[in-house]
Amino acid sequence: MAISVNELATHKILQDRVVLVTGGSRGIGAEIAKELAAQGATVAINYVSNADRAQEVVREIESYNAKVTAVQGDVANPEAMKKVYEEVMETYGKIDILINNAGITRDAKFVNMTEEQWNQVITTNMNSIFHLTKLVLPNMIEQNYGRIVNISSIIGQAGGFGQTNYSAAKAGMIGFTKSLALEVARYNITVNCVCPGYTFTDMVAAVPEKVQEKIIAKIPLGRFGTPKEVAKAVRFLVVDGDYITGQSINVNGGMYM
Ligand code: NAP
């Protein structure tokens, strides 16, 4: 099939770009990695434990003739993130685009929530973006270009029953995004959030079916989102969003406005 003029133009935009996607072995992160690789980007996908799934994503991306590598490392561990950063820099020499996507849930009603559940979610979902962004930013400043997209959540905007930890972390990401956007705009670096609604990945598949039905009943578009639909919003920010910074794009089927 012939490539349209638009596709060619888009391809060129990411052709020389290196992307690091945290949590790229499954779900939304894997789709973001594929979406950006399909536009010509070189991609490093980070994962924590699922080497097989990471290799599946690598093989698929290789089939687009894009450069790709999988890098193991726990985003909750600053030392591990330093190693991930160094590995990507050694392999590709730069990171132009950082997608802070890795995240977990440890749900419990607040009265029952343990300090461990609180800390795991805050450390993995929010402290991680402090550590990794701090590593990646100096090179972006030096090259006067950078795109950072943080994957927050509808739960950070609207709250979620049994999710005080997750909601606090995801709301924190939105505040982080707005403040950092102000600080780095002068270096041609944009910082934005994408806030998915309920998106069908392992994270949502783990929710009991009865609860899934109740959630769907509250979504105006009447279904869960797909990881691809979230990835397309990320692609828009990275490819066409040069004048967009400090924003949150909601991809939630109309569930929160
Ligand atoms: P998922 O299917 O559970 O996949 C999670 C990904 O994160 C995997 O690649 C996993 O790696 C990685 N990961 C988990 N903990 C990690 C750690 N400590 N260090 C490095 N990587 C780690 O999740 P998802 O549904 O795609 O969610 C992706 C992001 O979107 C998360 O931040 C989530 O909060 C957010 N989000 C999701 C939804 C939704 O409905 N799905 C809605 C709103 C926001 P392994 O494969 O190695 O475990």
Side-chain angles (χ1 to χ4, degrees):
M1 204 169 67
I3 295 179
S4 72
V5 173
N6 262 349
E7 278 169 327
L8 268 178
T10 312
H11 188 80
K12 269 194 188 147
I13 286 171
L14 293 188
Q15 202 160 269
D16 301 317
R17 298 298 181 198
V18 178
V19 183
L20 170 58
V21 184
T22 65
S25 49
R26 292 185 280 129
I28 292 169
E31 280 312 313
I32 294 170
K34 291 181 211 169
E35 187 73 23
L36 301 186
Q39 307 307 321
T42 293
V43 182
I45 54 166
N46 152 259
Y47 67 99
V48 64
S49 56
N50 226 321
D52 290 348
R53 295 287 292 272
Q55 282 313 314
E56 274 174 37
V57 180
V58 165
R59 280 195 292 278
E60 184 167 345
I61 289 177
E62 278 172 346
S63 75
Y64 313 157
N65 289 326
K67 284 188 231 157
V68 56
T69 187
V71 195
Q72 193 279 334
D74 181 352
V75 294
N77 177 343
E79 282 309 308
M81 277 305 93
K82 193 157 177 276
K83 282 194 188 138
V84 167
Y85 168 74
E86 285 168 354
E87 201 174 321
V88 179
M89 291 300 280
E90 268 166 35
T91 311
Y92 298 126
K94 61 174 185 165
I95 297 168
D96 301 295
I97 300 165
L98 171 62
I99 314 293
N100 285 310
N101 165 77
I104 56 165
T105 51
R106 294 288 181 270
D107 295 354
K109 273 198 326 191
F110 183 69
V111 288
N112 300 326
M113 187 174 287
T114 62
E115 195 173 343
E116 191 187 2
Q117 287 170 321
W118 173 265
N119 285 337
Q120 277 179 343
V121 168
I122 297 294
T123 308
T124 305
N125 295 19
M126 191 165 67
N127 292 355
S128 62
I129 72 169
F130 169 80
H131 294 294
L132 192 53
T133 307
K134 221 168 169 45
L135 288 165
V136 169
L137 207 51
N139 181 239
M140 287 182 173
I141 290 173
E142 201 179 314
Q143 66 182 16
N144 205 45
Y145 177 89
R147 298 286 176 264
I148 300 172
V149 182
N150 298 318
I151 307 302
S152 176
S153 170
I154 189 172
I155 304 299
Q157 302 167 306
F161 190 93
Q163 297 193 297
T164 49
N165 49 2
Y166 185 77
S167 181
K170 292 301 188 182
M173 287 176 98
I174 296 172
F176 172 92
T177 296
K178 290 180 182 178
S179 298
L180 186 63
L182 291 176
E183 293 182 23
V184 298
R186 73 192 70 177
Y187 306 111
N188 187 30
I189 299 168
T190 65
V191 192
N192 291 289
C193 274
V194 169
C195 297
Y198 289 87
T199 310
F200 202 78
T201 66
D202 295 345
M203 195 177 262
V204 167
V207 174
E209 219 164 290
K210 279 231 158 85
V211 180
Q212 287 189 20
E213 283 165 17
K214 281 188 186 160
I215 296 169
I216 288 175
K218 290 186 192 154
I219 303 173
L221 281 175
R223 63 173 176 85
F224 291 132
T226 66
K228 189 81 174 166
E229 286 165 333
V230 178
K232 281 182 183 170
V234 173
R235 177 193 150 189
F236 168 71
L237 284 171
V238 167
V239 172
D240 289 319
D242 290 351
Y243 199 57
I244 301 174
T245 195
Q247 306 301 315
S248 294
I249 296 189
N250 300 338
V251 185
N252 62 25
M255 200 177 180
Y256 175 86
M257 299 181 192

